[in-house]
Amino acid sequence: MSVLFRQVRLLDRAAAEGLSPPCDVHVEGPRIAAVGTELAAKGARLVEGHGKLLLPGLINAHFHSPVNHMKGRLDSLPLELFMLYESPALETLRPGPREAYIRTLLACAEMLRGGVTSVQDDAFFLPDPTPDIIDAVMQAYADSGMRVNLALDEPELAELDKLPFLRELMPAAARAGLETARDTGFLMEAYQHLISRWHGTQGGRLRAAVSCSAPQRVSPRYMRALDDISRALDVPYFAHMLETKLQRVLGEERLGGRSLIRYAADEGLLSARLNIIHAIWVDGADLDLVASAGSTIAHNPISNLRLGSGVMPFRAIRARGIPICLGTDEAIADDAVNMWAVAKMAGLIHNITTPDPNEWPKAWEVLDCLFTGGARAMGLADDLGAVEPGRLADLTLVDLETLPFTPLNDTARQLVYCEDGRSVVATMVAGDFVFEAGRCTRIDEAALIAEARELFARRRPALELAASEAGRLRPWYEAMVGRAAARDVGMNRWVSA
Ligand SMILES: [Zn+2]
């Protein structure tokens, strides 16, 4: 398929209002063939671009699809309490393939409508990553038209070994079921299935990634086995690190005083393929390690607020040249799955960390994180993140003749501070329109919504049962979080202590 966008504007930092003069963009097959003026493309579909801005597709660099159906289900809680409700490994919550398919598609529709072309799905498959559920999730991405890097976010260690203090806080009788580790042989088989069945399919639009969830949730051996896959396939490796103060305290308690990033570096995990997710309770020494390894940090500012995790030290990270990408995190912790909202929050939250406005993020920096950082995180730095010949035609067409851009003062600032997704008129992935004229072209949204409402209404009793199980454990988890919160760790990432 060949498409010619005529007379569109592109982002141009150096130009007046941050916009290029009108130009043509020719898409041939999955890639951008040419950018210029008065391009001719015989047989191409013409898209009139007058008054419109053609952006690189937005990249949601950190996401967990398995809780797509749980938006708005919980009050805000600290991560360790939140996870009790979000991801209990209960048999009653085991999804059928249709459920996994439908819940994945829900977020695809939401993202495509908002101009998101790529997602990195760090999917946990509870209670187990079975081939039929992996297939259902990947089939949803295949059908939706989105680009995805999918990893299996599967902790290995027993619950009591992943967290500090719990073993001493809980009476023996209450610890039943929390002492069992997972079988990594089974997990590696699941990866083999994901890779052999899906990696590189749909013209490379669907890819595998790997995930250890977090270094403290797995053994060093399993952590390294995943790195071997990441290196062999040259695909990203996802690891949550220092998201909460408790995780900083865990290093003092369990890792001989090393931070989780120091520990991961000692185990050989830090690399240019690594996506370090959150990186809130990091210090300068941690960031020096990350910078020298060339790893990317995934910033999820709305999730970080929803869970009260703290504020990531944006300027200290940028000052070291560490790439930052942006993500929504999961639909239970950023319930809107809207990358425009994430960009705006990234542009605002850091302003309350220092009175010096020179340290505050500029709109251009936020867009750099969204596009360039996202492309880098995905391992596609040369293929995504810019509207240039040779790059993949993952594009978002934005109408500038809308309220968020009227009057037009500065395109970059209005993208970050004004736009919320309503001005997106078309979304293209690999040269195919996947959203245009107000509808997702490959998803029957009315049927999807009707089926999802009915399906998840039926699942409500199972979710309620899981919540009551979480309530049983909650007092000990609250005590654990409280003990960590009271510890002086030599830094503060909350606005007040
Ligand atoms: Zn996450």
Side-chain angles (χ1 to χ4, degrees), residues 145-388:
M146 280 200 83
R147 185 178 304 284
V148 66
N149 281 348
L150 183 111
L152 314 178
D153 174 345
E154 303 295 332
E156 172 198 5
L157 300 182
E159 180 75 358
L160 294 178
D161 292 324
K162 293 187 291 191
L163 295 160
F165 310 135
L166 263 190
R167 199 168 252 119
E168 54 193 278
L169 285 167
M170 294 180 83
R175 299 199 299 258
L178 303 179
E179 306 260 25
T180 316
R182 312 269 300 276
D183 170 11
T184 56
F186 179 74
L187 297 178
M188 294 310 274
E189 281 174 25
Y191 266 107
Q192 285 312 320
H193 175 78
L194 169 68
I195 292 160
S196 62
R197 170 82 178 78
W198 294 101
H199 182 59
T201 60
Q202 299 281 322
R205 181 164 61 78
L206 310 184
R207 297 168 78 227
V210 301
S211 170
C212 68
S213 186
Q216 76 276 16
R217 297 176 190 152
V218 296
S219 64
R221 196 171 145 201
Y222 181 58
M223 192 159 73
R224 281 195 292 270
L226 292 175
D227 197 38
D228 290 342
I229 298 175
S230 166
R231 189 182 306 103
L233 298 180
D234 193 22
V235 296
Y237 190 139
F238 307 148
H240 296 72
M241 288 195 219
L242 294 170
E243 176 174 1
T244 65
K245 185 174 182 184
L246 180 137
Q247 292 173 10
R248 186 99 209 158
V249 170
L250 179 139
E252 295 180 355
E253 291 289 314
R254 293 274 175 85
L255 305 174
R258 290 177 293 174
S259 77
L260 273 165
I261 286 181
R262 174 82 254 175
Y263 168 69
D266 291 347
E267 294 295 335
L269 186 66
L270 300 195
S271 77
R273 290 170 277 103
L274 185 66
N275 285 206
I276 298 174
I277 303 156
H278 298 294
I280 295 169
W281 293 82
V282 288
D283 62 17
D286 292 327
L287 294 179
D288 290 342
L289 289 170
V290 175
S292 62
S295 308
T296 301
I297 288 177
H299 185 28
N300 309 278
I302 292 182
S303 167
N304 294 346
L305 284 178
R306 184 80 156 89
L307 306 187
S309 304
V311 184
M312 185 193 82
F314 179 89
R315 185 55 59 203
I317 293 170
R318 287 283 293 187
R320 286 171 172 80
I322 298 168
I324 298 173
C325 57
L326 301 181
T328 56
D329 213 344
E330 58 208 353
I332 191 172
D334 174 355
D335 313 55
V337 195
N338 181 321
M339 286 306 297
W340 300 97
V342 169
K344 180 167 182 170
M345 187 60 74
L348 295 176
I349 185 68
H350 306 285
N351 299 357
I352 56 171
T353 60
T354 166
D356 180 358
N358 296 309
E359 300 282 301
W360 299 353
K362 304 289 179 286
W364 270 105
E365 290 184 289
V366 175
L367 295 178
D368 180 54
C369 296
L370 180 58
F371 298 126
T372 314
R376 161 77 178 242
M378 291 193 72
L380 296 169
D382 297 330
D383 291 305
L384 298 176
V387 183
E388 291 172 358

Side-chain angles (χ1 to χ4, degrees), residues 414-469:
Q414 283 168 274
L415 285 167
V416 172
Y417 300 128
C418 305
E419 175 57 17
D420 56 11
R422 80 185 95 160
S423 307
V424 173
V425 289
T427 306
M428 171 181 271
V429 178
D432 284 335
F433 281 106
V434 285
F435 171 75
E436 66 172 332
R439 51 178 287 274
C440 293
T441 60
R442 294 169 168 223
I443 301 171
D444 182 342
E445 290 170 272
L448 169 67
I449 287 170
E451 183 174 355
R453 293 182 76 87
E454 199 256 308
L455 197 160
F456 291 109
R458 266 192 280 127
R459 292 296 268 155
R460 234 186 144 75
L463 289 168
E464 297 300 337
L465 189 70
S468 70
E469 169 67 8

